[in-house]
Amino acid sequence: MNGKGDEHNIAEETQRRILEIAKKLNYKANFAARCLSTGRTHTIGLVVPDVSNPFFANIVRKIEYYAEQKGYSVLITNTDENVKKEKEILKALINRQVEGIIIAPTEAISQNFDQIPIVVFDRIHPSQKTNFVNINNQETAFALTDHLFKQGHKKVALLSLTSFLPNIKERIEGYKQACLQNHVEIDNNLIIEIKNHNKKEDLKKALKSLFFSKTPVTAVLFLNNVLAAKSIWIINTCFKALSKDLSLASFDNLDIFDYTEPKITSALQPSEMISKCCVELLYELVEHDRSEPGIFFKTQLIIR
Amino acid sequence: MNGKGDEHNIAEETQRRILEIAKKLNYKANFAARCLSTGRTHTIGLVVPDVSNPFFANIVRKIEYYAEQKGYSVLITNTDENVKKEKEILKALINRQVEGIIIAPTEAISQNFDQIPIVVFDRIHPSQKTNFVNINNQETAFALTDHLFKQGHKKVALLSLTSFLPNIKERIEGYKQACLQNHVEIDNNLIIEIKNHNKKEDLKKALKSLFFSKTPVTAVLFLNNVLAAKSIWIINTCFKALSKDLSLASFDNLDIFDYTEPKITSALQPSEMISKCCVELLYELVEHDRSEPGIFFKTQLIIR
DNA sequence: TTGAAAGCGCTAACAC
DNA sequence: GTGTTAGCGCTTTCAA
């Protein structure tokens, strides 16, 4: 019944007959029993900050697809950027005997996480040398910022998430680098960190402070799609008058950026490849205990 | 170690000591073994067409939250509106001994699905009398359509998904009802079904045929957020000139609708309550074998 | 080819 | 309070 009939020299006739009876009885091997017996669960854990963030929703969708191809089920969980919750989730997943984990960690979790095969994406700690999928954060942030300066803007602000995330750090670095390259002094007042980016109020306050200072900001780089989308909403509903003089850029791309006003230049992450590679790296790790070097992808600039 | 120490009259001191040792040894009960032994998995399955659809991404997020509160893990899967895939997924979930399933089915799956506790949302077959969470589809579609007519439009088109989904049928009914109420003859050429709504090409063709007929359509109702968002994209990039004369309405709401041009009136589904109720209904079913009557929620019209 | 039996790690029941 | 044991449903090994 496990497809190894021929291997054991069982008559074709017999095999057929057994399978038929099994189907008639609607027999299904008990999954838990099989796990217990074989020691395999064919399940992996996927840990993201928030599946309802379009970037992650996309990745989750694709990882599930590729995982299924490899015969894995996926246990999807959200951390809400909450370190404590993340730890509990990880414990729970391991406890459930998942065979490996793909994670976009809230903190640099991976330093020496050796309890279980693990692949990290989106937020890679610099010390991590293997089993990760990353993008050229710094370079991309540089290009986006540089694009804004090249449009003629003198004051380019940066709207960031909690800046201790490694990817965010790199992006901030890229921004700073672009400032210097354009002979603009780095002004820390222009680098704003939004702690809870789900609160529109905070974002509105931040934008207001930028747009209505003595020497107003005329260009903004957003460090992810959520910040960008919500900001566009705020600009349209509250600061509409400013709209035509503003240049915006965003890390991550969204379909809507194609038609929103003000125009927004963005960096598209290759989510298809990211997802695929995450699964493949984990597969190597799980099935062959083979640790692979990290993978880097380039983002694609969409200039608008 | 299972928290039943007091129940068994075990000395507090002993309990503490044991727990301590367990922690020191980093002991974790094997999940599969426990499942096998107790017959419980504390896992439920969640089956949606596509987690990357914002409507479902939201629901998935919240269902996971409420399920966790009840002590369940959630196995999330995508059917891609594919009946065959859905059947396989269901089989696989049952095989995994999930204790119940929450599903937005591709077809009316639920008629007599008695293998396992199941709660249906979003697409409810009329024959389903219990254990579902639904919204007032027809009424909402009526209100949206009526709103468009009241704006003075004579030709209101309907962009729909595959119309054999029960919720879609109801929405179409609401649309038709509004036509009649406004003394407009129902024109089946104005009811367009987009088979694969992921293909922008199809959508573009459909919109083109509507906007460039002899007597062009000036108002459109979209039957879900994806159709609406993509259509807005198409209108902005291809038919920009028409934009100012168009009135649009959409089932489902998206944040971006607050600022997109042309303006779009929408119906907001109470996703928080939908998610919460799905989990609660399933909980009753799983824990107490208690079948509850279906629940209806009202959408909220956002007029723009 | 077929059948029997051990054992995966846990829970629950029961005897001590 | 504490220790022993059967058995959950499967896989795997070994004997017939």
Side-chain angles (χ1 to χ4, degrees):
Chain A
M1 286 205 47
N2 54 7
K4 289 190 198 157
D6 291 335
E7 209 169 291
H8 289 283
N9 305 320
I10 298 175
E12 198 139 323
E13 157 66 15
T14 314
Q15 292 190 39
R16 208 188 39 67
R17 193 166 45 84
I18 296 295
L19 251 16
E20 200 167 287
I21 295 174
K23 181 167 282 176
K24 201 158 61 195
L25 262 43
N26 198 19
Y27 171 81
K28 288 284 158 18
N30 178 306
F31 186 77
R34 173 171 278 168
C35 289
L36 187 57
S37 178
T38 60
R40 297 214 51 176
T41 59
H42 292 285
T43 305
I44 63 176
L46 175 54
V47 185
V48 295
D50 178 5
V51 284
S52 70
N53 173 325
F55 172 71
F56 290 116
N58 242 306
I59 298 244
V60 163
R61 180 77 184 74
K62 287 165 183 158
I63 285 182
E64 204 238 318
Y65 172 80
Y66 288 111
E68 198 215 309
Q69 305 257 310
K70 300 274 190 198
Y72 297 123
S73 294
V74 186
L75 227 28
I76 300 161
T77 56
N78 301 278
T79 64
D80 283 318
E81 307 282 10
N82 179 332
V83 183
K84 194 166 149 244
K85 197 171 168 199
E86 182 176 274
K87 277 189 186 145
E88 277 162 18
I89 285 172
L90 249 18
K91 237 194 278 179
L93 286 176
I94 292 170
N95 185 224
R96 280 200 166 230
Q97 268 74 39
V98 297
E99 301 189 349
I101 289 173
I102 298 176
I103 183 171
T106 286
E107 277 193 354
I109 208 166
S110 47
Q111 296 94 319
N112 43 15
F113 195 87
D114 52 3
Q115 301 181 53
I116 189 174
I118 192 161
V119 169
V120 184
F121 76 101
D122 195 51
R123 293 104 182 259
I124 320 296
H125 192 267
S127 69
Q128 177 113 12
K129 299 301 176 209
T130 55
N131 308 312
F132 66 79
V133 180
N134 205 352
I135 55 164
N136 55 343
N137 280 301
Q138 185 167 340
E139 201 179 312
T140 302
F142 176 89
L144 287 168
T145 313
D146 194 57
H147 172 77
L148 292 174
F149 278 121
K150 291 287 184 287
Q151 307 262 81
H153 296 278
K154 296 298 171 223
K155 282 187 87 173
V156 176
L158 181 65
L159 250 83
S160 157
L161 294 182
T162 45
S163 61
F164 47 76
L165 292 173
N167 59 339
I168 297 296
K169 270 191 190 156
E170 289 169 27
R171 294 176 193 183
I172 293 176
E173 209 42 58
Y175 161 83
K176 287 182 175 171
Q177 201 184 324
C179 288
L180 295 176
Q181 196 111 338
N182 283 276
H183 313 295
V184 171
E185 207 173 317
I186 293 163
D187 178 353
N188 282 318
N189 294 320
L190 296 188
I191 303 179
I192 296 185
E193 203 174 295
I194 303 292
K195 294 250 165 48
N196 182 353
H197 63 273
N198 285 320
K199 282 251 182 72
K200 272 186 185 147
E201 302 314 316
D202 296 355
L203 199 51
K204 185 175 169 185
K205 213 182 294 175
L207 289 172
K208 199 169 177 180
S209 77
L210 291 175
F211 296 149
F212 295 96
S213 68
K214 291 185 301 288
T215 54
V217 158
T218 53
V220 186
L221 169 61
F222 301 99
L223 281 198
N224 81 358
N225 69 48
V226 177
L227 286 172
K230 285 196 202 276
S231 295
I232 289 177
W233 181 86
I234 291 167
I235 290 169
N236 272 277
T237 50
C238 308
F239 311 126
K240 190 69 187 162
L242 302 172
S243 175
K244 60 183 181 307
D245 302 318
L246 245 34
S247 289
L248 305 179
S250 166
F251 223 101
D252 296 349
N253 184 51
L254 290 176
D255 256 19
I256 57 163
F257 290 168
D258 276 329
Y259 55 83
T260 45
E261 286 295 336
K263 296 251 178 286
I264 183 160
T265 287
S266 68
L268 174 65
Q269 296 198 41
S271 62
E272 189 77 38
M273 291 309 296
I274 292 173
S275 310
K276 193 174 176 194
C277 285
C278 281
V279 174
E280 277 170 2
L281 286 180
L282 193 60
Y283 182 79
E284 286 306 315
L285 221 40
V286 170
E287 306 293 336
H288 309 301
D289 195 21
R290 195 180 293 152
S291 214
E292 303 278 343
I295 296 174
F296 279 90
F297 287 109
K298 290 200 169 172
T299 56
Q300 180 196 334
L301 236 61
I302 302 177
I303 293 178
R304 296 194 183 86
Chain B
M1 285 205 50
N2 55 6
K4 292 190 198 157
D6 291 336
E7 208 169 291
H8 288 282
N9 304 319
I10 297 175
E12 197 140 324
E13 156 66 15
T14 314
Q15 292 191 40
R16 208 189 40 67
R17 193 166 46 83
I18 296 295
L19 252 15
E20 200 168 288
I21 294 173
K23 181 166 281 175
K24 200 157 64 197
L25 261 45
N26 199 19
Y27 170 81
K28 288 284 158 20
N30 178 305
F31 186 75
R34 172 173 278 166
C35 290
L36 187 56
S37 178
T38 61
R40 298 215 47 176
T41 58
H42 291 285
T43 306
I44 64 176
L46 175 53
V47 185
V48 295
D50 177 6
V51 284
S52 70
N53 173 326
F55 173 70
F56 290 116
N58 242 307
I59 298 247
V60 163
R61 181 78 184 75
K62 286 165 184 158
I63 285 183
E64 204 238 321
Y65 171 81
Y66 288 111
E68 198 215 309
Q69 305 257 312
K70 300 274 190 197
Y72 296 123
S73 294
V74 185
L75 228 29
I76 299 161
T77 56
N78 302 280
T79 63
D80 283 317
E81 307 282 9
N82 180 331
V83 184
K84 193 166 150 244
K85 199 172 167 200
E86 182 176 275
K87 278 188 186 144
E88 276 161 20
I89 286 172
L90 250 17
K91 235 194 280 178
L93 286 176
I94 291 170
N95 186 225
R96 279 199 168 232
Q97 267 74 39
V98 297
E99 302 188 350
I101 289 174
I102 297 175
I103 183 171
T106 287
E107 278 192 351
I109 207 166
S110 46
Q111 297 95 317
N112 44 14
F113 195 87
D114 53 3
Q115 300 181 51
I116 189 174
I118 192 161
V119 168
V120 184
F121 75 103
D122 196 51
R123 293 105 182 259
I124 320 296
H125 193 267
S127 68
Q128 177 114 12
K129 298 302 176 209
T130 54
N131 307 312
F132 66 80
V133 180
N134 204 353
I135 55 164
N136 55 342
N137 280 299
Q138 185 167 341
E139 200 179 313
T140 303
F142 176 89
L144 288 167
T145 313
D146 193 57
H147 171 78
L148 293 175
F149 278 120
K150 292 284 182 291
Q151 308 260 81
H153 296 278
K154 295 296 172 225
K155 283 188 84 173
V156 176
L158 182 64
L159 251 86
S160 158
L161 294 182
T162 45
S163 61
F164 47 77
L165 292 172
N167 59 340
I168 298 296
K169 270 190 191 158
E170 290 169 27
R171 294 176 194 182
I172 293 176
E173 209 40 58
Y175 161 84
K176 287 181 175 173
Q177 200 184 325
C179 288
L180 295 178
Q181 195 110 340
N182 284 275
H183 313 295
V184 172
E185 208 174 316
I186 293 162
D187 178 354
N188 281 317
N189 294 319
L190 297 188
I191 303 179
I192 295 185
E193 203 175 295
I194 302 293
K195 294 250 165 47
N196 183 353
H197 62 274
N198 286 319
K199 282 251 183 70
K200 273 187 186 146
E201 302 315 317
D202 297 353
L203 200 50
K204 186 175 168 185
K205 213 182 295 173
L207 289 172
K208 200 170 177 180
S209 76
L210 291 175
F211 296 150
F212 296 97
S213 68
K214 292 186 298 290
T215 52
V217 158
T218 52
V220 186
L221 169 61
F222 302 99
L223 281 198
N224 80 358
N225 69 48
V226 177
L227 285 172
K230 285 196 202 279
S231 295
I232 290 177
W233 182 88
I234 291 167
I235 291 169
N236 272 277
T237 51
C238 309
F239 311 125
K240 190 70 189 163
L242 303 173
S243 175
K244 62 182 178 309
D245 303 317
L246 245 35
S247 289
L248 305 179
S250 166
F251 223 102
D252 296 350
N253 183 52
L254 290 175
D255 256 20
I256 57 162
F257 291 168
D258 276 327
Y259 56 83
T260 44
E261 286 295 336
K263 295 252 177 285
I264 183 162
T265 287
S266 67
L268 175 66
Q269 295 198 42
S271 63
E272 189 78 36
M273 290 309 295
I274 293 173
S275 311
K276 194 174 175 194
C277 284
C278 281
V279 174
E280 277 170 4
L281 286 181
L282 194 59
Y283 182 79
E284 286 306 316
L285 221 40
V286 170
E287 306 292 337
H288 309 302
D289 193 23
R290 196 181 294 153
S291 214
E292 303 279 342
I295 296 174
F296 280 90
F297 286 110
K298 290 200 167 170
T299 55
Q300 181 195 334
L301 237 61
I302 302 177
I303 293 179
R304 296 193 183 86

